[in-house]
Amino acid sequence: GENVEQHPSTLSVQEGDSAVIKCTYSDSASNYFPWYKQELGKGPQLIIDIRSNVGEKKDQRIAVTLNKTAKHFSLHITETQPEDSAVYFCAASLNAGNMLTFGGGTRLMVKP
Amino acid sequence: ETGVTQSPTHLIKTRGQQVTLRCSSQSGHNTVSWYQQALGQGPQFIFQYYREEENGRGNFPPRFSGLQFPNYSSELNVNALELDDSALYLCASSVPDGQETQYFGPGTRLLVL
């Protein structure tokens, strides 16, 4: 089955700096790669996703890149703000509606 | 707001007991998935229901079972609770619009003593 590894497990940045979180996956059949943000006491919130037919996707300060050959994808957050502090999870699946396999999570702390 | 609600928010049970968790999603969201999230870990897929039928199952024993109802609500039942069942239980629903993005509810935190 699919296995997703996520690094780093914790990341501390100064407000205004960029943050990068990386994930690798094992199943070359995976085609859908979402990123979720989870705040304390809440469920995961989808922040961006990418499908295998594109290599990069941007939404304001957030971007995701995908390298299907190397089987890795990354989340980039620019101009970080204190409200970006949360746990971020990457995931992979065959299609968006199928079971998601999650990475272990990255705790991002943005210091004001 | 994802439009996905879960009840109860918190629950305490003892070993051996049975528990039912509930999930309600928006009209049209005919696919619901359940995930277990242990403390400090990513969510793990339990099973998925589509049009009231089980449509995929993760590596969980049969004492984890579910139901989906015509009104788009769903239940997760766990029998013979074990201490390791203590976790946040999340449901996620999606609409068959070609994107099928999964939107998560806030979860039910279960503590088994």
Side-chain angles (χ1 to χ4, degrees), chain A residues 32 34 36 38 41-46 49 51 57 87 89 93 95-105 107, chain B residues 2 31 33 35 37 40-45 48 55 57-58 88 90 94 98-107:
Chain A
Y32 176 68
Y36 287 87
Q38 188 173 28
K42 296 186 178 181
Q45 175 193 2
L46 179 74
D49 58 12
R51 287 166 169 81
K57 185 177 178 180
V87 180
F89 290 98
S93 75
N95 293 301
N98 292 119
M99 63 169 281
L100 296 170
T101 302
F102 284 83
R107 180 172 299 279
Chain B
T2 64
T31 300
S33 301
Y35 292 81
Q37 186 177 22
Q41 298 181 22
Q44 280 196 298
F45 176 77
Q48 183 181 82
N55 185 42
R57 189 177 186 93
L88 181 69
L90 298 159
S94 60
Q99 299 300 312
E100 297 180 48
T101 306
Q102 293 189 43
Y103 296 97
F104 283 83

